[in-house]
Amino acid sequence: MSVVDLNTGSMSARISTSGGIVLGLWWERTGRRVPLLREAPGDDAGPLQAGCYPLVPFGNRVKDNQFRFDGRDYRFEPNTDWDRHYLHGDGWQEEWRIERQDARSVALAFDHKASATTPYSYSAVQCFTLQEDDALTLSLSVTNRGEEALPFGLGWHPYFPMTPMTTLFAPARKYWTEVEDWLPGEATAIPGDVDFSEPMGLPHRWVNNGFEDWCGEAEVTWPERGVKLSLTADPLFRHAFVFVSDTSFDPAFERDYFCFEPMSHLANGHRLPDLGDLKVLSPGETLEGGIRLKAVPLLLNKYSAAIALPGD
């Protein structure tokens, strides 16, 4: 395992090759260092303790760990000891190698061969670049290295700090209910307490739901900290997932984080008639896309309403 530090002065990031994860992302202005992603407790932290991890060759789960494609049946085996499904692909559990790096960027890669756990053979590349305008760009690509076409998808699983005043803005068109085994149920209208078409706080309840036709733009605002994060995604990422834990799932949960996960496809897309926007890659074909996380400073007026500073 290697850890890479990136820095532009006002922005810094810490990247681990173990899981291809972000251990931390910070913005600094007027002597304040503010975390924009959840801070990992140490360099040896796993992806479930970190700030962000990649979803490749697809995200979330496939019902019953099996799907049929192009006349053939395929199966998965669980890749964690707490979920009966193969979860979030392999990238978050692999050791990535450093392909290139400098003071502001690093490119990581790994290769994966089909096994009893998954029928997917592929190579993946993930790039992190700090920009001078207080932004981090992330790109991710996957190339089918197998001998047959299969449906692929991409995404990221960021953990954002949650304070008492945190709000999320992320317009979408539909909402997917949750059923047993943390699987998606059906597409419905978006419930009021998770309708983020206007900035709103996260509900005080379990949330583990997909949002269909997300607009590709989101904002996380921390008024107490004087900053918001603007997330923009390539058109590939038409969907998103929102996760808010609870103490029945995680006894240590203190409402100190939530997840907003840009995804190129719907959860359980392998079992949907149109593959849920998964992209079929023939051998040698590549799928790629990126997101951008930008810090925007806020000014607090006398009524404690947060507004973006002019020119930022």
Side-chain angles (χ1 to χ4, degrees):
M1 180 189 79
S2 298
V3 173
V4 177
D5 287 302
L6 309 178
N7 197 293
T8 63
S10 59
M11 291 282 286
S12 57
R14 198 161 174 82
I15 312 297
S16 174
T17 59
S18 179
I21 62 177
V22 182
L23 294 168
L25 174 66
W26 299 272
W27 169 80
E28 186 168 339
R29 185 157 177 164
T30 63
R32 293 183 302 121
R33 190 171 187 249
V34 180
L36 302 178
L37 293 172
R38 182 179 64 173
E39 297 175 287
D43 288 352
D44 59 349
L48 300 180
Q49 300 173 297
C52 182
Y53 60 81
L55 308 178
V56 60
F58 60 87
N60 212 269
R61 301 165 177 84
V62 178
K63 184 180 179 181
D64 296 327
N65 277 338
Q66 58 184 323
F67 68 101
R68 186 171 181 82
F69 176 73
D70 202 21
R72 293 190 59 182
D73 293 318
Y74 297 89
R75 292 194 58 84
F76 300 100
E77 293 294 332
N79 56 354
T80 72
D81 59 6
W82 52 269
D83 191 330
R84 74 181 189 89
H85 287 95
Y86 168 82
L87 178 64
H88 291 324
D90 313 289
W92 64 303
Q93 298 180 324
E94 293 279 350
E95 177 67 25
W96 298 59
R97 63 183 180 272
I98 298 174
E99 295 282 272
R100 62 180 185 278
Q101 73 175 99
D102 57 35
R104 298 194 308 174
S105 67
V106 63
L108 307 179
F110 81 96
D111 303 303
H112 189 274
K113 292 185 178 181
S115 66
T117 301
T118 169
Y120 282 82
S121 292
Y122 61 93
S123 57
V125 177
Q126 187 178 198
C127 299
F128 307 86
T129 304
L130 288 178
Q131 308 289 341
E132 291 293 347
D133 64 343
D134 294 344
L136 171 69
T137 59
L138 298 86
S139 66
L140 182 61
S141 70
V142 61
T143 301
N144 184 357
R145 301 299 185 192
E147 297 180 353
E148 56 207 16
L150 282 174
F152 284 77
L154 297 173
W156 281 275
H157 198 300
Y159 292 79
F160 295 104
M162 182 159 54
T163 65
M165 296 178 67
T166 298
T167 63
L168 171 64
F169 168 74
R173 188 173 63 86
K174 287 185 180 180
Y175 164 94
W176 282 77
T177 61
E178 183 188 23
V179 295
E180 188 178 6
D181 290 330
W182 304 306
L183 289 164
E186 61 181 359
T188 69
I190 300 174
D193 67 344
V194 288
D195 183 357
F196 301 108
S197 57
E198 298 291 339
M200 186 171 64
L202 284 301
H204 287 252
R205 65 173 178 87
W206 172 268
V207 180
N208 187 41
N209 301 93
F211 288 77
E212 184 174 346
D213 287 341
W214 167 52
C215 73
E217 297 183 1
E219 292 180 353
V220 181
T221 302
W222 301 282
E224 312 99 308
R225 298 180 177 181
V227 65
K228 73 175 179 181
L229 182 141
S230 173
L231 189 161
T232 56
D234 288 349
L236 174 69
F237 300 98
R238 295 183 50 231
H239 310 291
F241 219 86
V242 175
F243 175 68
V244 181
S245 191
D246 64 15
T247 53
S248 64
F249 178 78
D250 177 6
F253 182 62
E254 298 180 347
R255 280 191 63 81
D256 51 353
Y257 71 83
F258 73 98
C259 300
F260 180 81
E261 309 160 35
M263 293 174 60
S264 68
H265 59 94
L266 295 172
N268 195 38
H270 294 75
R271 301 289 293 266
L272 298 178
D274 61 354
L275 292 175
D277 281 333
L278 289 163
K279 303 297 187 289
V280 177
L281 298 184
S282 296
E285 288 188 325
T286 298
L287 178 67
E288 59 186 329
I291 61 173
R292 176 181 173 89
L293 308 178
K294 177 177 169 56
V296 179
L298 301 174
L299 174 66
L300 301 182
N301 66 22
K302 64 180 179 180
Y303 302 107
S304 297
I307 59 175
L309 290 176
D312 287 296

